[in-house]
């Protein structure tokens, strides 16, 4: 790619400032109070896509938050890359743990980011990573180096389960037709060890409610004589793992893809320091399913985790009470071949079956999605690999991630194309957590690498 480095050098302050502006708007998809901000963000991405050289840009309404679409067709006979990303962000709470307000971006230097990192909600997930593609597009169109056709589909509901994207895809197959899907919404191993994500876990997310007596009771007058929903719920939850940390739901593991010893040995070659891992989290030991390493536990194995649990009195001081209800939000991360709807059903049946007499249990499914694995011999993967070789000077390591982007398996099913996950974030970027940030080095490296993907994908597709 001619001039990519000089282009970045010349425009990097603007690239950073544009992202900072984008990060100022709290596009929190989960909270309806921010609907205007979500819309404003969609509008601003539409404008950016237009400025970056898209010929046709539009905001496509859905039953929820809109999808921003843009495209540039240079020649119908050339391949088409479809870029997917999301402009919505996670809620920033707990606010008191942020060192600077989540929607007032600041640049700070850290040990891992001596070149500076932008601290703000969405900096890495996914505004920063999505915007790398917009700037890479700008570079290619400004320097007449766009080698193929491009489509952008940037949604506003990823963080709440992409409920309306499925219908949009099914209704717009022709419009979204492509040869490969390109996403930057994952991470890489370290700045010196580039990697390409080859797998994502699926997800089943449920909420459970345990009801005991018809009202909150005096815990002295009634305590010991009626089922306490909080006691019961915690006991039920505790029983969902056995002493080896295997999940106890019958049939839960039936379809789990078992990796061969060779595949696991290959995985274990990726650089990883358990000491560093523990230190970075301030824990004295790791914890998980016996028989598997940390990297296996968080990528190729399914999990069940309580994300939140509440009920009874949690205010200041003490109140003696037996609550009428207790609740929990539970997520199960799934691996390829596990069907999320089936797992939701297995969970529901099991959870209802373990409820003791004296309580009623209600399970409400939230959202879910299938896992994904992609081979490394596809044209898309090879093009991505060559792109990293050019910009990092090293062959990237294929790595399965523990996170989920449920729409990716639907892309394959509906649009019949492979997704390439070129993530430039680091695990330490604190996505979904207080003080989320994105290294400026990572941001610019993404902008630099993406155009090479287009070049090699076009060349290798011939
Ligand atoms: N970008 C993340 C997923 C991710 C991050 C994958 C890092 C791999 C590495 C995405 O925005 C996300 O947070 N997904 C949710 C699922 C969604 C249904 C809410 C997740 O993984 O919890
Ligand atoms: Mn994301
Ligand atoms: Mn996310």
């Amino acid at each position: 790619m001619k001039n990519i480095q000089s282009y970045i050098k010349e425009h990097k302050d603007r690239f950073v400032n544009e992202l900072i502006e984008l990060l100022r708007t709290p596009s929190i998809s989960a909270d309806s109070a921010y609907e205007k901000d979500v819309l404003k963000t969609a509008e601003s991405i539409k404008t950016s896509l237009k400025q970056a050289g898209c010929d046709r840009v539009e905001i496509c309404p859905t039953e929820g938050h809109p999808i921003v679409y843009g495209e540039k067709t240079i020649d119908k006979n050339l391949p088409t890359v479809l870029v997917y990303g999301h402009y919505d962000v996670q809620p920033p709470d707990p606010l008191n743990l942020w060192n600077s307000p989540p929607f007032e971006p600041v640049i700070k230097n850290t040990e891992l980011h001596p070149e500076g990192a932008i601290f703000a909600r969405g900096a890495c997930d996914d505004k920063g990573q999505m915007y790398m593609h917009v700037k890479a597009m700008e570079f290619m169109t400004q320097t007449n180096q766009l080698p193929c056709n491009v489509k952008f589909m940037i949604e506003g509901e990823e963080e709440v389960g992409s409920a309306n994207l499925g219908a949009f895809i099914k209704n717009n197959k022709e419009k979204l037709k492509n040869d490969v899907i390109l996403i930057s919404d994952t991470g890489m191993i370290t700045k010196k060890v580039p990697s390409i994500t080859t797998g994502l876990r699926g997800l089943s997310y449920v909420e459970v409610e345990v009801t005991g007596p018809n009202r909150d009771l005096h815990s002295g007058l009634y305590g010991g004589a009626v089922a306490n929903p909080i006691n019961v719920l915690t006991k039920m939850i505790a029983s969902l793992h056995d002493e080896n940390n295997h999940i106890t739901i019958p049939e839960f593991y039936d379809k789990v893809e078992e990796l061969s010893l060779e595949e696991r040995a290959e995985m274990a070659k990726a650089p990883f320091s358990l000491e560093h891992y523990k230190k970075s989290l301030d824990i004295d030991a790791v914890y998980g399913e016996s028989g598997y390493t940390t990297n296996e536990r968080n990528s190729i194995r399914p999990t069940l985790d309580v994300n939140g649990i509440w009920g009874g009195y949690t205010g200041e001081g003490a109140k003696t009470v037996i609550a009428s209800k207790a609740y929990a939000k539970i997520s199960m991360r799934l691996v390829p071949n596990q069907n999320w709807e089936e797992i939701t059903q297995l969970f529901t049946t099991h959870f209802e079956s373990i409820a003791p007499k004296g309580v009623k249990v209600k399970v409400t499914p939230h959202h879910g999605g299938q896992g994904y694995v992609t081979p490394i011999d596809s044209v898309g993967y090879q093009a991505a690999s060559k792109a990293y070789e050019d910009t990092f000077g090293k062959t990237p390591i294929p790595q399965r991630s523990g996170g989920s982007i449920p729409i990716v398996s639907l892309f394959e099913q509906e649009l019949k194309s492979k997704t390439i996950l070129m993530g430039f974030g680091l695990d330490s970027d604190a996505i979904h957590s207080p003080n989320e940030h994105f290294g400026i080095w990572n941001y610019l490296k993404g902008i630099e690498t993406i155009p090479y993907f287009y070049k090699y994908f076009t060349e290798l597709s011939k």
Side-chain angles (χ1 to χ4, degrees):
M1 289 271 122
K2 258 193 356 237
N3 305 330
I4 178 77
Q5 279 173 357
S6 56
Y7 193 90
I8 289 174
K9 212 169 174 184
E10 188 181 339
H11 297 278
K12 72 171 196 249
D13 290 345
R14 178 173 56 84
F15 287 176
V16 168
N17 289 333
E18 285 177 14
L19 175 55
I20 284 177
E21 280 315 305
L22 191 62
L23 291 167
R24 284 190 203 282
T25 315
S27 50
I28 306 165
S29 50
D31 190 341
S32 55
Y34 294 89
E35 200 172 330
K36 277 214 180 83
D37 293 300
V38 171
L39 281 178
K40 186 179 157 198
T41 305
E43 288 291 347
S44 98
I45 289 162
K46 180 184 161 191
T47 308
S48 307
L49 284 174
K50 183 107 204 143
Q51 282 166 355
C54 284
D55 300 330
R56 212 176 97 198
V57 287
E58 55 183 322
I59 290 191
C60 310
T62 72
E63 274 173 31
H65 303 309
I67 294 160
V68 187
Y69 179 82
E71 65 176 43
K72 184 172 182 70
T73 303
I74 56 170
D75 180 346
K76 288 239 150 42
N77 297 313
L78 285 168
T80 300
V81 175
L82 172 66
V83 176
Y84 163 83
H86 62 95
Y87 66 83
D88 64 321
V89 300
Q90 285 278 331
D93 57 272
L95 281 175
N96 59 324
L97 295 182
W98 283 79
N99 297 326
S100 54
F103 298 104
E104 292 171 30
V106 288
I107 297 174
K108 277 186 281 195
N109 297 346
T110 70
E111 208 179 310
L112 282 175
H113 298 293
E115 306 85 358
I118 305 173
F119 283 74
R121 171 55 87 233
C124 175
D125 183 12
D126 180 41
K127 282 176 175 165
Q129 296 214 67
M130 173 272 294
Y131 207 66
M132 298 179 317
H133 288 268
V134 182
K135 293 299 98 181
M137 172 79 175
E138 175 197 304
F139 162 73
M140 291 185 288
T141 56
Q142 286 292 319
T143 61
N144 290 316
Q145 294 188 84
L146 181 67
C148 61
N149 308 312
V150 195
K151 295 175 177 175
F152 283 87
M153 175 170 68
I154 313 297
E155 75 152 317
E157 295 188 307
E158 197 277 344
E159 298 292 9
V160 288
S162 303
N164 298 294
L165 189 60
F168 181 78
I169 295 170
K170 286 178 188 160
N171 295 332
N172 291 283
K173 284 194 193 176
E174 198 44 45
K175 176 183 187 136
L176 299 173
K177 205 164 170 265
N178 65 80
D179 298 282
V180 72
I181 295 165
L182 185 60
I183 303 180
S184 294
D185 192 21
T186 55
M188 58 183 185
I189 298 177
T190 66
K191 285 160 77 176
K192 295 219 163 69
V193 185
S195 57
I196 297 176
T197 304
T198 50
L200 294 164
R201 285 195 286 193
L203 183 71
S204 163
Y205 201 112
V206 297
E207 184 163 331
V208 298
E209 178 190 294
V210 174
T211 308
N214 61 1
R215 61 196 159 87
D216 288 9
L217 301 173
H218 188 289
S219 67
L221 295 181
Y222 290 91
V226 295
N228 176 330
I230 302 175
N231 293 9
V232 168
L233 174 61
T234 52
K235 212 164 155 180
M236 289 169 74
I237 288 171
S239 79
L240 296 175
H241 290 94
D242 69 13
E243 65 284 3
N244 292 314
N245 279 315
H246 287 301
I247 295 156
T248 56
I249 300 169
E251 297 170 55
F252 185 85
Y253 290 99
D254 281 10
K255 295 191 176 161
V256 166
E257 165 207 45
E258 293 290 342
L259 268 71
S260 67
L261 286 176
E262 290 75 38
E263 284 171 297
R264 290 174 65 185
E266 194 55 41
M267 259 187 82
K269 284 187 193 156
F272 175 72
S273 152
L274 193 58
E275 279 319 304
H276 181 258
Y277 186 82
K278 288 192 289 191
K279 199 165 163 243
S280 74
L281 299 174
D282 255 324
I283 50 174
D284 55 13
V286 291
Y287 185 92
E289 190 181 3
S290 52
Y292 295 92
T293 65
T294 295
N295 274 336
E296 290 171 343
R297 287 171 180 166
N298 69 24
S299 65
I300 61 165
R301 298 300 293 167
T303 62
L304 183 151
D305 277 296
V306 178
N307 294 249
I309 182 162
W310 70 104
Y313 184 70
T314 56
E316 198 183 329
K319 177 187 177 189
T320 49
V321 66
I322 292 177
S324 164
K325 287 176 186 288
Y327 307 83
K329 290 185 193 280
I330 298 175
S331 68
M332 287 161 279
R333 295 283 167 171
L334 310 175
V335 296
N337 301 340
Q338 282 185 298
N339 177 293
W340 77 270
E341 280 158 319
E342 216 170 284
I343 292 289
T344 304
Q345 192 52 56
L346 290 176
F347 175 91
T348 306
T349 307
H350 178 67
F351 207 70
E352 287 169 355
S353 81
I354 59 173
K357 287 211 174 75
V359 299
K360 293 186 219 54
V361 166
K362 196 166 104 191
V363 178
T364 311
H366 269 281
H367 53 71
Q370 295 301 111
Y372 183 71
V373 263
T374 184
I376 63 169
D377 57 7
S378 68
V379 173
Y381 187 93
Q382 290 304 318
S385 186
K386 282 168 82 71
Y388 282 80
E389 275 168 32
D390 282 358
T391 58
F392 285 80
K394 281 180 197 159
T395 306
I397 297 173
Q399 201 194 37
R400 277 169 66 162
S401 169
S404 308
I405 310 177
I407 209 66
V408 171
S409 71
L410 207 80
F411 283 153
E412 178 142 63
Q413 193 185 312
E414 299 296 330
L415 302 175
K416 312 278 179 244
S417 41
K418 293 264 172 276
T419 291
I420 303 304
L421 298 155
M422 289 178 37
F424 293 90
L426 300 178
D427 281 354
S428 53
D429 287 345
I431 63 171
H432 293 207
S433 307
N435 305 311
E436 175 177 355
H437 54 281
F438 191 33
I440 290 175
W441 184 90
N442 300 62
Y443 177 56
L444 299 177
K445 206 68 181 167
I447 299 172
E448 183 187 343
T449 308
I450 291 163
Y452 287 95
F453 172 82
Y454 283 75
K455 169 178 176 250
Y456 289 123
F457 185 74
T458 308
E459 283 175 20
L460 294 173
S461 297
K462 275 179 192 148

